[in-house]
Amino acid sequence: MGHRHRRQALLHRARGRRIGVPRRLGRLPQRPPQARPHPPLLVISDGGAGLISACELVLGCSLRQRCLIHKCRNVTSKVSRHDLAEFKKEFWEIFDTTELGLPPGQRLVETVQRRIDAFAAKGEKTYPAAVKSLLTDRSSLTSYLRFPVEHHKRIRHSNFIERTFGETRRRVKVIGRFPGEASCVSLAFAVLDRAATGWRGFTTTPAALRQLEGMRRDLLNPVSADVIQPAPQDHEPPAEAA
């Protein structure tokens, strides 16, 4: 087989490859409840189908936020250079909630979702591909609006964790090859743990802590309706006959 035919065969196999969750993720050992780590309240991801499927499988109780910086790049890549600056400005104005004066929660999420609808209606005829990219997985664009306001600008993108990729690659070059999966995971967590000590920008107030605890209770430990027992009703004693 010639070089050109081998290349066509490889391209054909690559295009037909199915991207999804590895099978072993579905066979993770089940730990007892007291030994399981607490899942995070929020998972920030890009648009990778495999990562999204893994989050839904393993962290189904957690909220998922689509990185707005990645989404902005995906949307504006389908816009002409002449309209790029104005289009990008209007995109970020969708998520500017400083003047709304609404507390975090469902009402704020619905308000921003209406802004997305208005933005899509305005640019649908001019840039249909960009609007289609914006509306894809749109529910994950506003998950961060349920969290404390002082955290919004930090948790709506994945820049925090992406800065650690370079440090991880630098350490991997020194090692060359990992002896096993455990050593690879240990290195990744060590880099993240060290980077987390220097993160800035998260202002945690007592009100924010109470809000996060309430979200953790509602999302990760919901009270089942079967557990709630109706309160005993006080029956009035029968009236005595005169």
Side-chain angles (χ1 to χ4, degrees):
M1 182 183 293
H3 175 72
R4 184 171 64 87
H5 293 87
R6 286 198 301 269
R7 183 172 178 271
Q8 290 178 351
L10 289 174
L11 287 175
H12 178 72
R13 291 180 59 186
R15 290 169 182 169
R17 185 182 303 166
R18 183 178 179 182
I19 300 176
V21 182
R23 292 183 178 180
R24 61 178 178 174
L25 283 179
R27 301 195 302 266
L28 291 176
Q30 297 296 327
R31 301 179 182 178
Q34 62 274 13
R36 298 174 188 172
H38 294 292
L41 288 175
L42 184 68
V43 178
I44 307 173
S45 70
D46 57 7
L51 178 58
I52 293 176
S53 299
C55 292
E56 293 175 350
L57 177 64
V58 182
L59 302 172
C61 296
S62 304
L63 296 174
R64 182 174 59 84
Q65 170 65 37
R66 178 73 181 270
C67 176
L68 292 185
I69 295 179
H70 284 91
K71 173 62 77 170
C72 181
R73 292 172 183 170
N74 295 338
V75 172
T76 54
S77 65
K78 300 170 176 58
V79 178
S80 65
R81 185 176 301 179
H82 177 72
D83 299 330
L84 180 60
E86 184 66 21
F87 204 91
K88 184 181 295 185
K89 177 184 176 182
E90 293 181 359
F91 174 88
W92 287 112
E93 287 177 351
I94 297 175
F95 305 98
D96 185 8
T97 60
T98 54
E99 298 180 357
L100 293 178
L102 296 176
Q106 182 62 28
R107 186 181 175 188
L108 184 58
V109 170
E110 293 174 353
T111 301
V112 176
Q113 287 291 337
R114 286 193 293 268
R115 286 183 173 182
I116 294 176
D117 291 332
F119 182 85
K122 179 181 178 181
E124 185 176 8
K125 294 183 179 180
T126 309
Y127 295 105
V131 171
K132 181 180 179 181
S133 176
L134 173 65
L135 298 181
T136 301
D137 200 17
R138 60 177 293 176
S139 61
S140 65
L141 299 178
T142 54
S143 298
Y144 75 99
L145 296 174
R146 303 179 184 275
F147 290 80
V149 177
E150 53 267 28
H151 296 175
H152 284 181
K153 290 187 177 181
R154 296 292 183 176
I155 63 175
R156 65 182 186 177
H157 55 73
S158 57
N159 280 6
F160 267 130
I161 192 171
E162 287 191 2
R163 293 174 183 175
T164 63
F165 292 167
E167 179 66 18
T168 304
R169 285 193 293 266
R170 186 182 68 83
R171 293 172 180 264
V172 170
K173 288 182 180 179
V174 177
I175 298 175
R177 178 178 295 180
F178 291 102
E181 182 179 355
S183 60
C184 177
V185 174
S186 299
L187 175 62
F189 273 92
V191 172
L192 290 174
D193 183 67
R194 182 177 181 181
T197 59
W199 285 346
R200 298 291 184 269
F202 278 92
T203 303
T204 305
T205 61
L209 287 176
R210 288 193 297 269
Q211 180 182 350
L212 293 175
E213 287 299 326
M215 294 182 63
R216 182 175 297 278
R217 182 175 59 253
D218 296 338
L219 288 174
L220 307 181
N221 299 306
V223 179
S224 175
D226 299 334
V227 178
I228 302 176
Q229 300 293 335
Q233 299 180 358
D234 296 333
H235 297 282
E236 297 181 359
E240 297 181 357

